[in-house]
Amino acid sequence: MPENHKPNSTTKSQAETAVTDSDNIENDVDSVDDKDAADIDIEIDDIDDDELNDSEADESLKEDIGKKINQLRLAKGYSQRKLAKLSGLTNTSISSIERNKVSPAVNTLKAILTVLGSDLTTFFSDEWKEPKARVIVTPKDLLELNEPNSKVSLKQVYNCSRTRNLGFLIETYQPNSSTEEKIAHEGEEIGTVIEGKIIIRIEDSTYLLNQGDSYVIDTIQPHTFINPTDSITRIVSAHTPTTY
């Protein structure tokens, strides 16, 4: 039979020490990991708070820009299409700016504000206030949508309301004048000739209206208004959407 051997006390002691050291090492590692994790969490929290504040400030500024441009455009009675054309931008650009999808460069914003009759100083002033809707619109409050030297006057009845759903125009056509060729925009229009005569050309069709006649058209179809006479023609019309 083999001789029984007792375990060497020194070997046992070394093994126990190794196990103990291993436990201590693991505890130290856990302690370091916990501390580092806590430090990292604090640093991340600090960074996130700062970045969040900056982000919120940026979003607030963007929202102000988009909202103000929208208000100014509506006050002018312009569609996004018309504002884009007059400011040398695309319709998509105007839409993205108003919806706060992009922030306009300074030169772009200046071009937009020039068309809308404002400037950077006024636009970013603390005195900026949202216009209050009014009930009475006097002749001096009417908005002229055409150029001052145009032979066609399109005056919009605008009360500064952002929630209105209907646009209304008082139109005056000088003798032998017409609107720009083949206007087309989303919506519909209803009008009545209150003085004179008017020809409405819709694509390949032509219609002559006399005083008292009314019309209903889908404005997505290219159309042109022509006064073929030597007298003034006046029309009142309502349209959707509210911008022209």
Side-chain angles (χ1 to χ4, degrees):
M1 295 204 38
E3 184 178 356
N4 292 332
H5 294 281
K6 293 183 179 180
N8 187 293
S9 60
T10 303
T11 303
K12 180 179 179 181
S13 176
Q14 290 175 344
E16 291 174 346
T17 301
V19 171
T20 302
D21 290 343
S22 176
D23 290 341
N24 291 336
I25 291 172
E26 290 180 358
N27 290 336
D28 290 343
V29 170
D30 289 342
S31 176
V32 171
D33 288 344
D34 290 342
K35 181 178 182 302
D36 289 345
D39 290 342
I40 292 172
D41 285 342
I42 291 173
E43 291 175 359
I44 290 176
D45 287 343
D46 290 342
I47 293 173
D48 286 348
D49 287 343
D50 291 341
E51 291 181 349
L52 182 60
N53 290 336
D54 292 342
S55 176
E56 288 176 348
D58 291 342
E59 287 300 319
S60 176
L61 179 59
K62 285 170 62 178
E63 288 177 3
D64 285 344
I65 291 176
K67 179 180 178 181
K68 288 180 179 180
I69 290 176
N70 177 265
Q71 289 176 0
L72 288 172
R73 178 175 66 78
L74 291 177
K76 277 286 188 181
Y78 290 170
S79 64
Q80 291 182 342
R81 174 184 61 86
K82 184 166 185 176
L83 176 57
K85 179 180 179 181
L86 294 176
S87 58
L89 301 172
T90 65
N91 188 17
T92 302
S93 296
I94 297 297
S95 176
S96 297
I97 291 170
E98 287 194 359
R99 290 184 295 117
N100 302 308
K101 297 297 183 182
V102 298
S103 295
V106 174
N107 288 340
T108 299
L109 183 56
K110 286 176 66 177
I112 293 173
L113 294 179
T114 298
V115 172
L116 296 177
S118 186
D119 55 60
L120 291 174
T121 301
T122 303
F123 189 76
F124 289 108
S125 171
D126 292 335
E127 298 178 358
W128 174 278
K129 294 181 180 179
E130 185 172 346
K132 183 178 179 180
R134 52 178 175 253
V135 175
I136 305 300
V137 181
T138 65
K140 68 180 180 61
D141 296 323
L142 297 174
L143 297 175
E144 176 58 62
L145 303 185
N146 272 351
E147 298 299 323
N149 58 350
S150 175
K151 296 179 69 176
V152 177
S153 171
L154 302 176
K155 292 187 176 181
Q156 186 174 60
V157 180
Y158 178 63
N159 71 335
C160 299
S161 171
R162 298 186 64 206
T163 59
R164 67 196 177 103
N165 298 310
L166 184 67
F168 188 83
L169 294 178
I170 300 174
E171 309 175 28
T172 303
Y173 295 79
Q174 296 298 324
N176 301 298
S177 63
S178 68
T179 59
E180 60 183 280
E181 186 70 16
K182 296 181 179 180
I183 302 171
H185 51 90
E186 179 185 1
E188 60 182 347
E189 182 176 329
I190 299 175
T192 299
V193 180
I194 58 176
E195 181 183 340
K197 300 177 183 288
I198 198 76
I199 289 177
I200 303 178
R201 184 175 295 153
I202 304 174
E203 294 186 337
D204 296 328
S205 300
T206 300
Y207 306 88
L208 174 63
L209 286 78
N210 297 300
Q211 181 175 329
D213 290 337
S214 299
Y215 63 89
V216 181
I217 62 174
D218 179 357
T219 52
I220 197 64
Q221 297 177 297
H223 54 281
T224 305
F225 286 75
I226 304 168
N227 177 7
T229 72
D230 293 329
S231 303
I232 289 178
T233 295
R234 302 183 194 278
I235 298 175
V236 291
S237 65
H239 60 274
T240 61
T242 56
T243 53
Y244 176 78

